[in-house]
mmCIF file of all heavy atoms in Angstrom:
data_model
loop_
_atom_site.group_PDB
_atom_site.id
_atom_site.type_symbol
_atom_site.label_atom_id
_atom_site.label_comp_id
_atom_site.label_asym_id
_atom_site.label_seq_id
_atom_site.Cartn_x
_atom_site.Cartn_y
_atom_site.Cartn_z
ATOM 1 N N MET A 211 0.871 -1.191 -0.013
ATOM 2 C CA MET A 211 -0.013 -0.001 0.009
ATOM 3 C C MET A 211 0.850 1.227 -0.018
ATOM 4 O O MET A 211 1.879 1.312 0.711
ATOM 5 C CB MET A 211 -0.914 -0.005 1.212
ATOM 6 C CG MET A 211 -1.852 1.123 1.205
ATOM 7 S SD MET A 211 -3.057 1.263 2.640
ATOM 8 C CE MET A 211 -3.270 -0.318 3.179
ATOM 9 N N LEU A 212 0.543 2.238 -0.828
ATOM 10 C CA LEU A 212 1.238 3.468 -0.877
ATOM 11 C C LEU A 212 0.270 4.595 -0.486
ATOM 12 O O LEU A 212 -0.844 4.628 -0.916
ATOM 13 C CB LEU A 212 1.699 3.742 -2.324
ATOM 14 C CG LEU A 212 2.618 2.699 -2.931
ATOM 15 C CD1 LEU A 212 2.877 2.964 -4.415
ATOM 16 C CD2 LEU A 212 3.956 2.665 -2.189
ATOM 17 N N TYR A 213 0.761 5.465 0.408
ATOM 18 C CA TYR A 213 -0.082 6.572 0.915
ATOM 19 C C TYR A 213 0.716 7.832 0.911
ATOM 20 O O TYR A 213 1.851 7.874 1.390
ATOM 21 C CB TYR A 213 -0.577 6.246 2.324
ATOM 22 C CG TYR A 213 -1.452 7.312 2.862
ATOM 23 C CD1 TYR A 213 -2.827 7.308 2.607
ATOM 24 C CD2 TYR A 213 -0.915 8.300 3.692
ATOM 25 C CE1 TYR A 213 -3.637 8.299 3.139
ATOM 26 C CE2 TYR A 213 -1.747 9.289 4.199
ATOM 27 C CZ TYR A 213 -3.119 9.281 3.906
ATOM 28 O OH TYR A 213 -3.929 10.258 4.445
ATOM 29 N N SER A 214 0.200 8.899 0.316
ATOM 30 C CA SER A 214 0.875 10.213 0.304
ATOM 31 C C SER A 214 -0.167 11.315 0.418
ATOM 32 O O SER A 214 -1.283 11.169 -0.019
ATOM 33 C CB SER A 214 1.667 10.379 -1.028
ATOM 34 O OG SER A 214 2.678 9.405 -1.111
ATOM 35 N N SER A 215 0.330 12.435 0.943
ATOM 36 C CA SER A 215 -0.478 13.676 0.941
ATOM 37 C C SER A 215 0.135 14.668 0.055
ATOM 38 O O SER A 215 1.362 14.789 0.049
ATOM 39 C CB SER A 215 -0.550 14.190 2.360
ATOM 40 O OG SER A 215 -1.380 13.358 3.179
ATOM 41 N N PHE A 216 -0.673 15.461 -0.657
ATOM 42 C CA PHE A 216 -0.206 16.478 -1.568
ATOM 43 C C PHE A 216 -0.949 17.794 -1.354
ATOM 44 O O PHE A 216 -2.110 17.769 -0.965
ATOM 45 C CB PHE A 216 -0.397 16.025 -3.038
ATOM 46 C CG PHE A 216 0.291 14.766 -3.375
ATOM 47 C CD1 PHE A 216 -0.337 13.555 -3.370
ATOM 48 C CD2 PHE A 216 1.634 14.809 -3.853
ATOM 49 C CE1 PHE A 216 0.310 12.407 -3.715
ATOM 50 C CE2 PHE A 216 2.261 13.665 -4.182
ATOM 51 C CZ PHE A 216 1.612 12.444 -4.119
ATOM 52 N N THR A 217 -0.258 18.898 -1.663
ATOM 53 C CA THR A 217 -0.892 20.173 -1.700
ATOM 54 C C THR A 217 -0.431 20.847 -3.022
ATOM 55 O O THR A 217 0.741 20.979 -3.273
ATOM 56 C CB THR A 217 -0.477 21.112 -0.562
ATOM 57 O OG1 THR A 217 -0.940 20.481 0.659
ATOM 58 C CG2 THR A 217 -1.151 22.453 -0.636
ATOM 59 N N ASP A 218 -1.378 21.219 -3.825
ATOM 60 C CA ASP A 218 -1.110 21.852 -5.168
ATOM 61 C C ASP A 218 -1.724 23.247 -5.138
ATOM 62 O O ASP A 218 -2.784 23.500 -4.520
ATOM 63 C CB ASP A 218 -1.667 21.055 -6.326
ATOM 64 C CG ASP A 218 -0.903 19.793 -6.547
ATOM 65 O OD1 ASP A 218 0.311 19.736 -6.278
ATOM 66 O OD2 ASP A 218 -1.507 18.802 -7.043
ATOM 67 N N THR A 219 -1.128 24.187 -5.844
ATOM 68 C CA THR A 219 -1.635 25.519 -6.029
ATOM 69 C C THR A 219 -2.113 25.649 -7.501
ATOM 70 O O THR A 219 -1.352 25.344 -8.428
ATOM 71 C CB THR A 219 -0.561 26.555 -5.715
ATOM 72 O OG1 THR A 219 -0.112 26.398 -4.376
ATOM 73 C CG2 THR A 219 -1.114 27.966 -5.895
ATOM 74 N N LEU A 220 -3.342 26.105 -7.668
ATOM 75 C CA LEU A 220 -3.920 26.176 -8.998
ATOM 76 C C LEU A 220 -4.230 27.618 -9.316
ATOM 77 O O LEU A 220 -4.872 28.336 -8.536
ATOM 78 C CB LEU A 220 -5.195 25.353 -9.080
ATOM 79 C CG LEU A 220 -5.955 25.304 -10.407
ATOM 80 C CD1 LEU A 220 -5.076 24.681 -11.455
ATOM 81 C CD2 LEU A 220 -7.232 24.527 -10.231
ATOM 82 N N THR A 221 -3.769 28.063 -10.504
ATOM 83 C CA THR A 221 -4.074 29.381 -11.042
ATOM 84 C C THR A 221 -4.534 29.211 -12.451
ATOM 85 O O THR A 221 -3.865 28.580 -13.258
ATOM 86 C CB THR A 221 -2.877 30.349 -10.949
ATOM 87 O OG1 THR A 221 -2.515 30.484 -9.577
ATOM 88 C CG2 THR A 221 -3.203 31.701 -11.517
ATOM 89 N N GLY A 222 -5.691 29.731 -12.819
ATOM 90 C CA GLY A 222 -6.178 29.644 -14.169
ATOM 91 C C GLY A 222 -7.649 29.405 -14.179
ATOM 92 O O GLY A 222 -8.342 29.568 -13.181
ATOM 93 N N THR A 223 -8.202 29.025 -15.317
ATOM 94 C CA THR A 223 -9.599 28.765 -15.509
ATOM 95 C C THR A 223 -9.844 27.339 -15.940
ATOM 96 O O THR A 223 -9.133 26.835 -16.807
ATOM 97 C CB THR A 223 -10.179 29.735 -16.550
ATOM 98 O OG1 THR A 223 -9.947 31.067 -16.142
ATOM 99 C CG2 THR A 223 -11.667 29.527 -16.728
ATOM 100 N N VAL A 224 -10.815 26.730 -15.315
ATOM 101 C CA VAL A 224 -11.230 25.337 -15.652
ATOM 102 C C VAL A 224 -12.625 25.414 -16.241
ATOM 103 O O VAL A 224 -13.529 26.007 -15.661
ATOM 104 C CB VAL A 224 -11.171 24.429 -14.443
ATOM 105 C CG1 VAL A 224 -11.688 23.058 -14.767
ATOM 106 C CG2 VAL A 224 -9.818 24.424 -13.819
ATOM 107 N N SER A 225 -12.796 24.830 -17.440
ATOM 108 C CA SER A 225 -14.116 24.791 -18.056
ATOM 109 C C SER A 225 -14.533 23.339 -18.289
ATOM 110 O O SER A 225 -13.728 22.525 -18.754
ATOM 111 C CB SER A 225 -14.076 25.515 -19.387
ATOM 112 O OG SER A 225 -13.826 26.907 -19.215
ATOM 113 N N VAL A 226 -15.746 23.035 -17.942
ATOM 114 C CA VAL A 226 -16.273 21.644 -18.129
ATOM 115 C C VAL A 226 -17.532 21.737 -18.930
ATOM 116 O O VAL A 226 -18.634 22.078 -18.406
ATOM 117 C CB VAL A 226 -16.539 20.981 -16.762
ATOM 118 C CG1 VAL A 226 -17.038 19.561 -16.961
ATOM 119 C CG2 VAL A 226 -15.258 20.982 -15.877
ATOM 120 N N PRO A 227 -17.478 21.467 -20.240
ATOM 121 C CA PRO A 227 -18.706 21.422 -21.040
ATOM 122 C C PRO A 227 -19.312 20.023 -21.002
ATOM 123 O O PRO A 227 -18.658 19.018 -20.724
ATOM 124 C CB PRO A 227 -18.177 21.733 -22.469
ATOM 125 C CG PRO A 227 -16.807 21.168 -22.473
ATOM 126 C CD PRO A 227 -16.264 21.343 -21.054
ATOM 127 N N GLY A 228 -20.608 19.931 -21.223
ATOM 128 C CA GLY A 228 -21.219 18.628 -21.189
ATOM 129 C C GLY A 228 -22.690 18.683 -21.547
ATOM 130 O O GLY A 228 -23.240 19.722 -21.951
ATOM 131 N N ASN A 229 -23.348 17.554 -21.388
ATOM 132 C CA ASN A 229 -24.756 17.433 -21.724
ATOM 133 C C ASN A 229 -25.461 16.739 -20.555
ATOM 134 O O ASN A 229 -25.065 15.622 -20.163
ATOM 135 C CB ASN A 229 -24.909 16.626 -23.013
ATOM 136 C CG ASN A 229 -26.350 16.626 -23.495
ATOM 137 O OD1 ASN A 229 -27.234 16.138 -22.787
ATOM 138 N ND2 ASN A 229 -26.598 17.127 -24.673
ATOM 139 N N VAL A 230 -26.420 17.363 -19.946
ATOM 140 C CA VAL A 230 -27.129 16.787 -18.825
ATOM 141 C C VAL A 230 -28.626 16.772 -19.127
ATOM 142 O O VAL A 230 -29.201 17.838 -19.411
ATOM 143 C CB VAL A 230 -26.866 17.592 -17.537
ATOM 144 C CG1 VAL A 230 -27.681 17.009 -16.346
ATOM 145 C CG2 VAL A 230 -25.409 17.610 -17.154
ATOM 146 N N SER A 231 -29.220 15.600 -19.159
ATOM 147 C CA SER A 231 -30.630 15.438 -19.425
ATOM 148 C C SER A 231 -31.063 16.130 -20.687
ATOM 149 O O SER A 231 -32.088 16.758 -20.755
ATOM 150 C CB SER A 231 -31.464 15.923 -18.225
ATOM 151 O OG SER A 231 -31.156 15.157 -17.080
ATOM 152 N N GLY A 232 -30.227 16.054 -21.709
ATOM 153 C CA GLY A 232 -30.579 16.638 -23.000
ATOM 154 C C GLY A 232 -30.263 18.099 -23.130
ATOM 155 O O GLY A 232 -30.500 18.684 -24.223
ATOM 156 N N GLY A 233 -29.764 18.750 -22.094
ATOM 157 C CA GLY A 233 -29.408 20.159 -22.162
ATOM 158 C C GLY A 233 -27.931 20.371 -22.073
ATOM 159 O O GLY A 233 -27.216 19.661 -21.380
ATOM 160 N N ASN A 234 -27.374 21.342 -22.816
ATOM 161 C CA ASN A 234 -26.003 21.647 -22.761
ATOM 162 C C ASN A 234 -25.627 22.396 -21.491
ATOM 163 O O ASN A 234 -26.334 23.301 -21.095
ATOM 164 C CB ASN A 234 -25.578 22.478 -23.982
ATOM 165 C CG ASN A 234 -25.592 21.667 -25.248
ATOM 166 O OD1 ASN A 234 -25.313 20.458 -25.217
ATOM 167 N ND2 ASN A 234 -25.958 22.316 -26.360
ATOM 168 N N VAL A 235 -24.485 22.028 -20.922
ATOM 169 C CA VAL A 235 -24.034 22.658 -19.678
ATOM 170 C C VAL A 235 -22.575 23.040 -19.911
ATOM 171 O O VAL A 235 -21.778 22.257 -20.435
ATOM 172 C CB VAL A 235 -24.133 21.710 -18.487
ATOM 173 C CG1 VAL A 235 -23.586 22.340 -17.250
ATOM 174 C CG2 VAL A 235 -25.614 21.280 -18.277
ATOM 175 N N ASN A 236 -22.220 24.219 -19.476
ATOM 176 C CA ASN A 236 -20.841 24.681 -19.546
ATOM 177 C C ASN A 236 -20.506 25.388 -18.218
ATOM 178 O O ASN A 236 -20.905 26.485 -18.004
ATOM 179 C CB ASN A 236 -20.607 25.651 -20.737
ATOM 180 C CG ASN A 236 -19.173 25.915 -20.974
ATOM 181 O OD1 ASN A 236 -18.289 25.329 -20.323
ATOM 182 N ND2 ASN A 236 -18.875 26.794 -21.871
ATOM 183 N N VAL A 237 -19.768 24.664 -17.385
ATOM 184 C CA VAL A 237 -19.416 25.184 -16.046
ATOM 185 C C VAL A 237 -17.946 25.726 -16.182
ATOM 186 O O VAL A 237 -17.041 24.998 -16.632
ATOM 187 C CB VAL A 237 -19.538 24.125 -15.003
ATOM 188 C CG1 VAL A 237 -19.114 24.649 -13.633
ATOM 189 C CG2 VAL A 237 -20.969 23.597 -14.939
ATOM 190 N N SER A 238 -17.699 26.898 -15.656
ATOM 191 C CA SER A 238 -16.394 27.468 -15.698
ATOM 192 C C SER A 238 -16.049 28.079 -14.312
ATOM 193 O O SER A 238 -16.934 28.675 -13.674
ATOM 194 C CB SER A 238 -16.345 28.584 -16.751
ATOM 195 O OG SER A 238 -15.086 29.158 -16.800
ATOM 196 N N ARG A 239 -14.821 27.875 -13.897
ATOM 197 C CA ARG A 239 -14.417 28.426 -12.608
ATOM 198 C C ARG A 239 -12.962 28.925 -12.735
ATOM 199 O O ARG A 239 -12.136 28.226 -13.305
ATOM 200 C CB ARG A 239 -14.557 27.376 -11.510
ATOM 201 C CG ARG A 239 -14.137 27.937 -10.155
ATOM 202 C CD ARG A 239 -14.595 27.106 -9.018
ATOM 203 N NE ARG A 239 -14.102 27.670 -7.799
ATOM 204 C CZ ARG A 239 -14.114 27.059 -6.635
ATOM 205 N NH1 ARG A 239 -14.523 25.810 -6.531
ATOM 206 N NH2 ARG A 239 -13.650 27.643 -5.576
ATOM 207 N N SER A 240 -12.718 30.057 -12.158
ATOM 208 C CA SER A 240 -11.331 30.639 -12.182
ATOM 209 C C SER A 240 -10.690 30.467 -10.789
ATOM 210 O O SER A 240 -11.375 30.597 -9.767
ATOM 211 C CB SER A 240 -11.347 32.078 -12.600
ATOM 212 O OG SER A 240 -11.800 32.199 -13.926
ATOM 213 N N PHE A 241 -9.413 30.203 -10.794
ATOM 214 C CA PHE A 241 -8.628 30.064 -9.573
ATOM 215 C C PHE A 241 -7.437 31.033 -9.591
ATOM 216 O O PHE A 241 -6.841 31.214 -10.655
ATOM 217 C CB PHE A 241 -8.134 28.632 -9.409
ATOM 218 C CG PHE A 241 -9.190 27.580 -9.400
ATOM 219 C CD1 PHE A 241 -9.653 26.982 -10.536
ATOM 220 C CD2 PHE A 241 -9.812 27.237 -8.208
ATOM 221 C CE1 PHE A 241 -10.662 26.010 -10.533
ATOM 222 C CE2 PHE A 241 -10.839 26.300 -8.166
ATOM 223 C CZ PHE A 241 -11.261 25.699 -9.290
ATOM 224 N N ASN A 242 -7.138 31.585 -8.453
ATOM 225 C CA ASN A 242 -5.970 32.455 -8.328
ATOM 226 C C ASN A 242 -5.150 32.050 -7.101
ATOM 227 O O ASN A 242 -5.431 32.497 -5.966
ATOM 228 C CB ASN A 242 -6.421 33.909 -8.257
ATOM 229 C CG ASN A 242 -5.251 34.891 -8.249
ATOM 230 O OD1 ASN A 242 -4.144 34.477 -8.595
ATOM 231 N ND2 ASN A 242 -5.476 36.111 -7.877
ATOM 232 N N LYS A 243 -4.202 31.190 -7.300
ATOM 233 C CA LYS A 243 -3.300 30.693 -6.249
ATOM 234 C C LYS A 243 -4.093 30.006 -5.141
ATOM 235 O O LYS A 243 -3.720 30.027 -3.994
ATOM 236 C CB LYS A 243 -2.447 31.822 -5.677
ATOM 237 C CG LYS A 243 -1.538 32.404 -6.714
ATOM 238 C CD LYS A 243 -0.670 33.528 -6.135
ATOM 239 C CE LYS A 243 0.223 34.136 -7.216
ATOM 240 N NZ LYS A 243 0.983 35.253 -6.709
ATOM 241 N N ASP A 244 -5.168 29.293 -5.539
ATOM 242 C CA ASP A 244 -5.966 28.520 -4.589
ATOM 243 C C ASP A 244 -5.227 27.228 -4.289
ATOM 244 O O ASP A 244 -4.698 26.569 -5.183
ATOM 245 C CB ASP A 244 -7.325 28.208 -5.162
ATOM 246 C CG ASP A 244 -8.207 29.450 -5.321
ATOM 247 O OD1 ASP A 244 -7.918 30.449 -4.609
ATOM 248 O OD2 ASP A 244 -9.161 29.417 -6.085
ATOM 249 N N LYS A 245 -5.221 26.815 -3.014
ATOM 250 C CA LYS A 245 -4.514 25.612 -2.603
ATOM 251 C C LYS A 245 -5.464 24.452 -2.398
ATOM 252 O O LYS A 245 -6.576 24.623 -1.847
ATOM 253 C CB LYS A 245 -3.700 25.851 -1.335
ATOM 254 C CG LYS A 245 -2.583 26.788 -1.557
ATOM 255 C CD LYS A 245 -1.649 26.816 -0.418
ATOM 256 C CE LYS A 245 -0.469 27.738 -0.785
ATOM 257 N NZ LYS A 245 0.602 27.669 0.190
ATOM 258 N N PHE A 246 -5.122 23.247 -2.932
ATOM 259 C CA PHE A 246 -5.906 22.051 -2.773
ATOM 260 C C PHE A 246 -5.045 20.989 -2.094
ATOM 261 O O PHE A 246 -3.933 20.763 -2.506
ATOM 262 C CB PHE A 246 -6.333 21.537 -4.152
ATOM 263 C CG PHE A 246 -7.301 22.492 -4.840
ATOM 264 C CD1 PHE A 246 -6.821 23.535 -5.673
ATOM 265 C CD2 PHE A 246 -8.639 22.344 -4.658
ATOM 266 C CE1 PHE A 246 -7.709 24.388 -6.284
ATOM 267 C CE2 PHE A 246 -9.547 23.175 -5.314
ATOM 268 C CZ PHE A 246 -9.088 24.222 -6.101
ATOM 269 N N THR A 247 -5.537 20.418 -1.065
ATOM 270 C CA THR A 247 -4.861 19.387 -0.308
ATOM 271 C C THR A 247 -5.634 18.077 -0.459
ATOM 272 O O THR A 247 -6.851 18.029 -0.324
ATOM 273 C CB THR A 247 -4.713 19.704 1.174
ATOM 274 O OG1 THR A 247 -4.054 20.984 1.295
ATOM 275 C CG2 THR A 247 -3.903 18.650 1.911
ATOM 276 N N TYR A 248 -4.893 17.023 -0.811
ATOM 277 C CA TYR A 248 -5.551 15.727 -1.041
ATOM 278 C C TYR A 248 -4.604 14.561 -0.661
ATOM 279 O O TYR A 248 -3.375 14.737 -0.671
ATOM 280 C CB TYR A 248 -6.066 15.601 -2.487
ATOM 281 C CG TYR A 248 -4.988 15.822 -3.520
ATOM 282 C CD1 TYR A 248 -4.345 14.726 -4.085
ATOM 283 C CD2 TYR A 248 -4.631 17.108 -3.950
ATOM 284 C CE1 TYR A 248 -3.342 14.945 -5.035
ATOM 285 C CE2 TYR A 248 -3.640 17.273 -4.893
ATOM 286 C CZ TYR A 248 -2.992 16.196 -5.468
ATOM 287 O OH TYR A 248 -2.045 16.392 -6.377
ATOM 288 N N ASP A 249 -5.208 13.476 -0.327
ATOM 289 C CA ASP A 249 -4.495 12.211 0.021
ATOM 290 C C ASP A 249 -4.682 11.250 -1.118
ATOM 291 O O ASP A 249 -5.754 11.165 -1.732
ATOM 292 C CB ASP A 249 -5.056 11.591 1.270
ATOM 293 C CG ASP A 249 -4.788 12.433 2.524
ATOM 294 O OD1 ASP A 249 -3.838 13.254 2.501
ATOM 295 O OD2 ASP A 249 -5.537 12.288 3.493
ATOM 296 N N VAL A 250 -3.621 10.493 -1.414
ATOM 297 C CA VAL A 250 -3.667 9.420 -2.420
ATOM 298 C C VAL A 250 -3.279 8.172 -1.718
ATOM 299 O O VAL A 250 -2.260 8.017 -1.096
ATOM 300 C CB VAL A 250 -2.740 9.720 -3.617
ATOM 301 C CG1 VAL A 250 -2.745 8.587 -4.623
ATOM 302 C CG2 VAL A 250 -3.024 11.026 -4.270
ATOM 303 N N ASP A 251 -4.204 7.158 -1.799
ATOM 304 C CA ASP A 251 -4.012 5.864 -1.123
ATOM 305 C C ASP A 251 -4.067 4.787 -2.217
ATOM 306 O O ASP A 251 -5.173 4.581 -2.785
ATOM 307 C CB ASP A 251 -5.099 5.671 -0.100
ATOM 308 C CG ASP A 251 -4.963 4.321 0.684
ATOM 309 O OD1 ASP A 251 -3.900 3.683 0.521
ATOM 310 O OD2 ASP A 251 -5.899 3.993 1.395
ATOM 311 N N CYS A 252 -2.982 4.125 -2.524
ATOM 312 C CA CYS A 252 -2.946 3.134 -3.613
ATOM 313 C C CYS A 252 -2.609 1.751 -3.070
ATOM 314 O O CYS A 252 -1.775 1.583 -2.196
ATOM 315 C CB CYS A 252 -1.885 3.525 -4.641
ATOM 316 S SG CYS A 252 -2.181 5.075 -5.507
ATOM 317 N N LYS A 253 -3.285 0.796 -3.633
ATOM 318 C CA LYS A 253 -3.023 -0.626 -3.365
ATOM 319 C C LYS A 253 -2.552 -1.258 -4.668
ATOM 320 O O LYS A 253 -3.293 -1.249 -5.658
ATOM 321 C CB LYS A 253 -4.209 -1.335 -2.779
ATOM 322 C CG LYS A 253 -4.642 -0.831 -1.470
ATOM 323 C CD LYS A 253 -5.919 -1.489 -0.991
ATOM 324 C CE LYS A 253 -6.340 -0.857 0.314
ATOM 325 N NZ LYS A 253 -7.648 -1.358 0.808
ATOM 326 N N ILE A 254 -1.320 -1.724 -4.726
ATOM 327 C CA ILE A 254 -0.741 -2.224 -5.977
ATOM 328 C C ILE A 254 -0.331 -3.707 -5.781
ATOM 329 O O ILE A 254 0.352 -4.032 -4.793
ATOM 330 C CB ILE A 254 0.471 -1.370 -6.424
ATOM 331 C CG1 ILE A 254 0.004 0.067 -6.620
ATOM 332 C CG2 ILE A 254 1.072 -1.968 -7.665
ATOM 333 C CD1 ILE A 254 1.118 1.023 -6.906
ATOM 334 N N ASP A 255 -0.721 -4.527 -6.719
ATOM 335 C CA ASP A 255 -0.345 -5.912 -6.712
ATOM 336 C C ASP A 255 0.731 -6.129 -7.774
ATOM 337 O O ASP A 255 0.411 -6.129 -8.975
ATOM 338 C CB ASP A 255 -1.559 -6.838 -7.023
ATOM 339 C CG ASP A 255 -1.267 -8.314 -6.902
ATOM 340 O OD1 ASP A 255 -0.051 -8.697 -7.026
ATOM 341 O OD2 ASP A 255 -2.177 -9.090 -6.673
ATOM 342 N N ILE A 256 1.979 -6.200 -7.336
ATOM 343 C CA ILE A 256 3.092 -6.291 -8.281
ATOM 344 C C ILE A 256 3.076 -7.574 -9.052
ATOM 345 O O ILE A 256 3.404 -7.639 -10.224
ATOM 346 C CB ILE A 256 4.427 -6.151 -7.522
ATOM 347 C CG1 ILE A 256 4.528 -4.765 -6.854
ATOM 348 C CG2 ILE A 256 5.611 -6.401 -8.428
ATOM 349 C CD1 ILE A 256 5.710 -4.577 -5.949
ATOM 350 N N THR A 257 2.620 -8.668 -8.400
ATOM 351 C CA THR A 257 2.540 -9.964 -9.105
ATOM 352 C C THR A 257 1.628 -9.950 -10.274
ATOM 353 O O THR A 257 1.991 -10.429 -11.398
ATOM 354 C CB THR A 257 2.087 -11.063 -8.112
ATOM 355 O OG1 THR A 257 2.947 -11.016 -6.971
ATOM 356 C CG2 THR A 257 2.118 -12.418 -8.770
ATOM 357 N N ASN A 258 0.441 -9.390 -10.140
ATOM 358 C CA ASN A 258 -0.564 -9.352 -11.239
ATOM 359 C C ASN A 258 -0.485 -8.110 -12.073
ATOM 360 O O ASN A 258 -1.140 -7.996 -13.129
ATOM 361 C CB ASN A 258 -1.970 -9.460 -10.642
ATOM 362 C CG ASN A 258 -2.216 -10.803 -9.983
ATOM 363 O OD1 ASN A 258 -1.593 -11.768 -10.313
ATOM 364 N ND2 ASN A 258 -3.068 -10.777 -8.955
ATOM 365 N N GLY A 259 0.243 -7.089 -11.602
ATOM 366 C CA GLY A 259 0.314 -5.868 -12.366
ATOM 367 C C GLY A 259 -0.963 -5.053 -12.303
ATOM 368 O O GLY A 259 -1.292 -4.348 -13.233
ATOM 369 N N THR A 260 -1.711 -5.195 -11.212
ATOM 370 C CA THR A 260 -2.970 -4.484 -11.049
ATOM 371 C C THR A 260 -2.877 -3.564 -9.866
ATOM 372 O O THR A 260 -2.026 -3.713 -8.983
ATOM 373 C CB THR A 260 -4.127 -5.448 -10.908
ATOM 374 O OG1 THR A 260 -3.917 -6.262 -9.714
ATOM 375 C CG2 THR A 260 -4.288 -6.355 -12.078
ATOM 376 N N GLY A 261 -3.796 -2.617 -9.784
ATOM 377 C CA GLY A 261 -3.812 -1.704 -8.642
ATOM 378 C C GLY A 261 -5.060 -0.800 -8.684
ATOM 379 O O GLY A 261 -5.750 -0.775 -9.659
ATOM 380 N N ASN A 262 -5.226 -0.130 -7.583
ATOM 381 C CA ASN A 262 -6.314 0.757 -7.447
ATOM 382 C C ASN A 262 -5.915 1.922 -6.532
ATOM 383 O O ASN A 262 -5.291 1.713 -5.496
ATOM 384 C CB ASN A 262 -7.563 0.060 -6.879
ATOM 385 C CG ASN A 262 -8.803 0.885 -6.923
ATOM 386 O OD1 ASN A 262 -8.920 1.776 -7.791
ATOM 387 N ND2 ASN A 262 -9.657 0.725 -5.926
ATOM 388 N N CYS A 263 -6.282 3.146 -6.881
ATOM 389 C CA CYS A 263 -5.954 4.318 -6.066
ATOM 390 C C CYS A 263 -7.222 5.063 -5.685
ATOM 391 O O CYS A 263 -8.135 5.212 -6.503
ATOM 392 C CB CYS A 263 -5.022 5.253 -6.745
ATOM 393 S SG CYS A 263 -3.391 4.589 -7.039
ATOM 394 N N ASN A 264 -7.330 5.508 -4.440
ATOM 395 C CA ASN A 264 -8.373 6.369 -3.945
ATOM 396 C C ASN A 264 -7.866 7.741 -3.665
ATOM 397 O O ASN A 264 -6.813 7.828 -3.011
ATOM 398 C CB ASN A 264 -9.073 5.795 -2.720
ATOM 399 C CG ASN A 264 -9.767 4.502 -3.009
ATOM 400 O OD1 ASN A 264 -10.518 4.406 -3.996
ATOM 401 N ND2 ASN A 264 -9.592 3.473 -2.145
ATOM 402 N N VAL A 265 -8.521 8.779 -4.130
ATOM 403 C CA VAL A 265 -8.091 10.151 -3.878
ATOM 404 C C VAL A 265 -9.137 10.786 -2.952
ATOM 405 O O VAL A 265 -10.323 10.760 -3.268
ATOM 406 C CB VAL A 265 -7.932 10.965 -5.142
ATOM 407 C CG1 VAL A 265 -7.578 12.386 -4.863
ATOM 408 C CG2 VAL A 265 -6.885 10.310 -6.112
ATOM 409 N N THR A 266 -8.667 11.359 -1.858
ATOM 410 C CA THR A 266 -9.548 12.011 -0.909
ATOM 411 C C THR A 266 -9.150 13.494 -0.814
ATOM 412 O O THR A 266 -8.004 13.809 -0.441
ATOM 413 C CB THR A 266 -9.461 11.378 0.464
ATOM 414 O OG1 THR A 266 -9.724 10.009 0.370
ATOM 415 C CG2 THR A 266 -10.436 12.048 1.438
ATOM 416 N N ILE A 267 -10.097 14.401 -1.209
ATOM 417 C CA ILE A 267 -9.827 15.821 -1.094
ATOM 418 C C ILE A 267 -10.148 16.282 0.288
ATOM 419 O O ILE A 267 -11.163 15.975 0.848
ATOM 420 C CB ILE A 267 -10.669 16.581 -2.146
ATOM 421 C CG1 ILE A 267 -10.329 16.122 -3.560
ATOM 422 C CG2 ILE A 267 -10.478 18.073 -1.988
ATOM 423 C CD1 ILE A 267 -11.247 16.659 -4.605
ATOM 424 N N LYS A 268 -9.223 17.031 0.857
ATOM 425 C CA LYS A 268 -9.370 17.509 2.254
ATOM 426 C C LYS A 268 -10.070 18.837 2.273
ATOM 427 O O LYS A 268 -9.961 19.596 1.349
ATOM 428 C CB LYS A 268 -8.045 17.610 2.979
ATOM 429 C CG LYS A 268 -7.384 16.288 3.210
ATOM 430 C CD LYS A 268 -6.060 16.501 3.876
ATOM 431 C CE LYS A 268 -5.456 15.217 4.291
ATOM 432 N NZ LYS A 268 -4.218 15.372 5.042
#
């Protein structure tokens, strides 16, 4: 099992276009040096070459 905590700083604009229930949706959000902290918990099986990671935003 691998476990790590990260903090990233995001500056810029994120746009997410899509279609919800037949209607077009375009969500946009701007960030200016906003900090995001999250944990990554991975379980890796070296023998089978498989694994799974869970990300938890704090």
